[in-house]
PDB file of all heavy atoms in Angstrom:
ATOM      1  N   THR A 155       7.074 -19.479 -12.221  1.00 84.00           N
ATOM      2  CA  THR A 155       6.880 -18.040 -12.336  1.00 84.00           C
ATOM      3  C   THR A 155       8.193 -17.396 -12.768  1.00 84.00           C
ATOM      4  O   THR A 155       9.256 -17.735 -12.256  1.00 84.00           O
ATOM      5  CB  THR A 155       6.437 -17.454 -10.972  1.00 84.00           C
ATOM      6  OG1 THR A 155       5.248 -18.129 -10.543  1.00 84.00           O
ATOM      7  CG2 THR A 155       6.153 -15.976 -11.081  1.00 84.00           C
ATOM      8  N   LYS A 156       8.113 -16.481 -13.707  1.00 84.00           N
ATOM      9  CA  LYS A 156       9.321 -15.908 -14.294  1.00 84.00           C
ATOM     10  C   LYS A 156       9.951 -14.816 -13.442  1.00 84.00           C
ATOM     11  O   LYS A 156      11.154 -14.586 -13.494  1.00 84.00           O
ATOM     12  CB  LYS A 156       9.015 -15.346 -15.685  1.00 84.00           C
ATOM     13  CG  LYS A 156       8.425 -16.379 -16.662  1.00 84.00           C
ATOM     14  CD  LYS A 156       9.347 -17.565 -16.865  1.00 84.00           C
ATOM     15  CE  LYS A 156       8.762 -18.550 -17.872  1.00 84.00           C
ATOM     16  NZ  LYS A 156       9.599 -19.770 -18.023  1.00 84.00           N
ATOM     17  N   HIS A 157       9.141 -14.102 -12.670  1.00 88.00           N
ATOM     18  CA  HIS A 157       9.672 -13.006 -11.864  1.00 88.00           C
ATOM     19  C   HIS A 157       8.897 -12.885 -10.566  1.00 88.00           C
ATOM     20  O   HIS A 157       7.717 -13.236 -10.497  1.00 88.00           O
ATOM     21  CB  HIS A 157       9.605 -11.679 -12.642  1.00 88.00           C
ATOM     22  CG  HIS A 157      10.363 -10.565 -11.978  1.00 88.00           C
ATOM     23  ND1 HIS A 157       9.799  -9.730 -11.043  1.00 88.00           N
ATOM     24  CD2 HIS A 157      11.657 -10.166 -12.118  1.00 88.00           C
ATOM     25  CE1 HIS A 157      10.700  -8.851 -10.638  1.00 88.00           C
ATOM     26  NE2 HIS A 157      11.837  -9.095 -11.266  1.00 88.00           N
ATOM     27  N   LEU A 158       9.553 -12.362  -9.541  1.00 91.00           N
ATOM     28  CA  LEU A 158       8.928 -12.242  -8.221  1.00 91.00           C
ATOM     29  C   LEU A 158       7.659 -11.400  -8.234  1.00 91.00           C
ATOM     30  O   LEU A 158       6.791 -11.562  -7.370  1.00 91.00           O
ATOM     31  CB  LEU A 158       9.912 -11.633  -7.222  1.00 91.00           C
ATOM     32  CG  LEU A 158      10.950 -12.558  -6.597  1.00 91.00           C
ATOM     33  CD1 LEU A 158      11.777 -11.802  -5.561  1.00 91.00           C
ATOM     34  CD2 LEU A 158      10.292 -13.767  -5.959  1.00 91.00           C
ATOM     35  N   THR A 159       7.544 -10.486  -9.178  1.00 91.00           N
ATOM     36  CA  THR A 159       6.355  -9.631  -9.207  1.00 91.00           C
ATOM     37  C   THR A 159       5.078 -10.446  -9.383  1.00 91.00           C
ATOM     38  O   THR A 159       3.991  -9.999  -9.015  1.00 91.00           O
ATOM     39  CB  THR A 159       6.467  -8.576 -10.334  1.00 91.00           C
ATOM     40  OG1 THR A 159       5.424  -7.609 -10.179  1.00 91.00           O
ATOM     41  CG2 THR A 159       6.358  -9.224 -11.707  1.00 91.00           C
ATOM     42  N   HIS A 160       5.201 -11.670  -9.939  1.00 91.00           N
ATOM     43  CA  HIS A 160       4.028 -12.526 -10.160  1.00 91.00           C
ATOM     44  C   HIS A 160       3.816 -13.536  -9.026  1.00 91.00           C
ATOM     45  O   HIS A 160       2.908 -14.360  -9.095  1.00 91.00           O
ATOM     46  CB  HIS A 160       4.171 -13.264 -11.490  1.00 91.00           C
ATOM     47  CG  HIS A 160       4.324 -12.345 -12.667  1.00 91.00           C
ATOM     48  ND1 HIS A 160       3.371 -11.425 -13.013  1.00 91.00           N
ATOM     49  CD2 HIS A 160       5.347 -12.198 -13.571  1.00 91.00           C
ATOM     50  CE1 HIS A 160       3.774 -10.748 -14.079  1.00 91.00           C
ATOM     51  NE2 HIS A 160       4.972 -11.197 -14.429  1.00 91.00           N
ATOM     52  N   VAL A 161       4.643 -13.472  -8.010  1.00 94.00           N
ATOM     53  CA  VAL A 161       4.482 -14.321  -6.834  1.00 94.00           C
ATOM     54  C   VAL A 161       3.584 -13.583  -5.835  1.00 94.00           C
ATOM     55  O   VAL A 161       3.776 -12.381  -5.608  1.00 94.00           O
ATOM     56  CB  VAL A 161       5.855 -14.631  -6.182  1.00 94.00           C
ATOM     57  CG1 VAL A 161       5.684 -15.417  -4.881  1.00 94.00           C
ATOM     58  CG2 VAL A 161       6.745 -15.393  -7.165  1.00 94.00           C
ATOM     59  N   PRO A 162       2.589 -14.243  -5.256  1.00 93.00           N
ATOM     60  CA  PRO A 162       1.721 -13.566  -4.282  1.00 93.00           C
ATOM     61  C   PRO A 162       2.532 -12.847  -3.212  1.00 93.00           C
ATOM     62  O   PRO A 162       3.504 -13.391  -2.688  1.00 93.00           O
ATOM     63  CB  PRO A 162       0.905 -14.717  -3.681  1.00 93.00           C
ATOM     64  CG  PRO A 162       0.864 -15.741  -4.768  1.00 93.00           C
ATOM     65  CD  PRO A 162       2.208 -15.653  -5.443  1.00 93.00           C
ATOM     66  N   ILE A 163       2.132 -11.632  -2.886  1.00 95.00           N
ATOM     67  CA  ILE A 163       2.931 -10.818  -1.977  1.00 95.00           C
ATOM     68  C   ILE A 163       3.034 -11.443  -0.587  1.00 95.00           C
ATOM     69  O   ILE A 163       4.039 -11.278   0.108  1.00 95.00           O
ATOM     70  CB  ILE A 163       2.388  -9.374  -1.892  1.00 95.00           C
ATOM     71  CG1 ILE A 163       3.396  -8.487  -1.131  1.00 95.00           C
ATOM     72  CG2 ILE A 163       1.009  -9.355  -1.244  1.00 95.00           C
ATOM     73  CD1 ILE A 163       3.109  -7.020  -1.221  1.00 95.00           C
ATOM     74  N   VAL A 164       2.010 -12.210  -0.184  1.00 95.00           N
ATOM     75  CA  VAL A 164       2.057 -12.824   1.146  1.00 95.00           C
ATOM     76  C   VAL A 164       3.228 -13.798   1.244  1.00 95.00           C
ATOM     77  O   VAL A 164       3.851 -13.945   2.304  1.00 95.00           O
ATOM     78  CB  VAL A 164       0.721 -13.508   1.488  1.00 95.00           C
ATOM     79  CG1 VAL A 164       0.471 -14.710   0.582  1.00 95.00           C
ATOM     80  CG2 VAL A 164       0.692 -13.934   2.951  1.00 95.00           C
ATOM     81  N   ARG A 165       3.560 -14.472   0.152  1.00 95.00           N
ATOM     82  CA  ARG A 165       4.702 -15.395   0.160  1.00 95.00           C
ATOM     83  C   ARG A 165       6.015 -14.620   0.309  1.00 95.00           C
ATOM     84  O   ARG A 165       6.945 -15.077   0.977  1.00 95.00           O
ATOM     85  CB  ARG A 165       4.724 -16.229  -1.124  1.00 95.00           C
ATOM     86  CG  ARG A 165       3.602 -17.249  -1.202  1.00 95.00           C
ATOM     87  CD  ARG A 165       3.684 -18.057  -2.493  1.00 95.00           C
ATOM     88  NE  ARG A 165       2.621 -19.054  -2.574  1.00 95.00           N
ATOM     89  CZ  ARG A 165       2.714 -20.294  -2.128  1.00 95.00           C
ATOM     90  NH1 ARG A 165       3.835 -20.705  -1.556  1.00 95.00           N
ATOM     91  NH2 ARG A 165       1.707 -21.142  -2.239  1.00 95.00           N
ATOM     92  N   LYS A 166       6.085 -13.457  -0.319  1.00 97.00           N
ATOM     93  CA  LYS A 166       7.314 -12.661  -0.253  1.00 97.00           C
ATOM     94  C   LYS A 166       7.479 -12.000   1.117  1.00 97.00           C
ATOM     95  O   LYS A 166       8.586 -11.966   1.660  1.00 97.00           O
ATOM     96  CB  LYS A 166       7.307 -11.614  -1.372  1.00 97.00           C
ATOM     97  CG  LYS A 166       7.427 -12.240  -2.762  1.00 97.00           C
ATOM     98  CD  LYS A 166       7.233 -11.242  -3.895  1.00 97.00           C
ATOM     99  CE  LYS A 166       5.812 -10.803  -4.047  1.00 97.00           C
ATOM    100  NZ  LYS A 166       5.535 -10.090  -5.312  1.00 97.00           N
ATOM    101  N   THR A 167       6.383 -11.505   1.665  1.00 97.00           N
ATOM    102  CA  THR A 167       6.499 -10.911   3.003  1.00 97.00           C
ATOM    103  C   THR A 167       6.793 -11.992   4.045  1.00 97.00           C
ATOM    104  O   THR A 167       7.561 -11.752   4.979  1.00 97.00           O
ATOM    105  CB  THR A 167       5.224 -10.129   3.371  1.00 97.00           C
ATOM    106  OG1 THR A 167       4.067 -10.955   3.181  1.00 97.00           O
ATOM    107  CG2 THR A 167       5.098  -8.874   2.532  1.00 97.00           C
ATOM    108  N   ASP A 168       6.195 -13.171   3.875  1.00 97.00           N
ATOM    109  CA  ASP A 168       6.505 -14.277   4.789  1.00 97.00           C
ATOM    110  C   ASP A 168       7.989 -14.632   4.716  1.00 97.00           C
ATOM    111  O   ASP A 168       8.630 -14.904   5.741  1.00 97.00           O
ATOM    112  CB  ASP A 168       5.672 -15.510   4.452  1.00 97.00           C
ATOM    113  CG  ASP A 168       4.250 -15.427   4.992  1.00 97.00           C
ATOM    114  OD1 ASP A 168       3.958 -14.464   5.729  1.00 97.00           O
ATOM    115  OD2 ASP A 168       3.438 -16.317   4.674  1.00 97.00           O
ATOM    116  N   ALA A 169       8.541 -14.618   3.499  1.00 97.00           N
ATOM    117  CA  ALA A 169       9.966 -14.911   3.326  1.00 97.00           C
ATOM    118  C   ALA A 169      10.822 -13.858   4.026  1.00 97.00           C
ATOM    119  O   ALA A 169      11.850 -14.185   4.638  1.00 97.00           O
ATOM    120  CB  ALA A 169      10.306 -14.966   1.838  1.00 97.00           C
ATOM    121  N   LEU A 170      10.381 -12.610   3.969  1.00 98.00           N
ATOM    122  CA  LEU A 170      11.129 -11.539   4.637  1.00 98.00           C
ATOM    123  C   LEU A 170      11.007 -11.650   6.154  1.00 98.00           C
ATOM    124  O   LEU A 170      11.994 -11.480   6.879  1.00 98.00           O
ATOM    125  CB  LEU A 170      10.626 -10.180   4.164  1.00 98.00           C
ATOM    126  CG  LEU A 170      10.993  -9.790   2.725  1.00 98.00           C
ATOM    127  CD1 LEU A 170      10.326  -8.472   2.341  1.00 98.00           C
ATOM    128  CD2 LEU A 170      12.506  -9.674   2.561  1.00 98.00           C
TER     129      LEU A 170
END
Side-chain angles (χ1 to χ4, degrees):
T155 303
K156 303 301 182 184
H157 191 271
L158 279 184
T159 191
H160 302 300
V161 175
I163 190 168
V164 67
R165 290 181 179 270
K166 292 172 288 193
T167 52
D168 280 354
L170 289 175

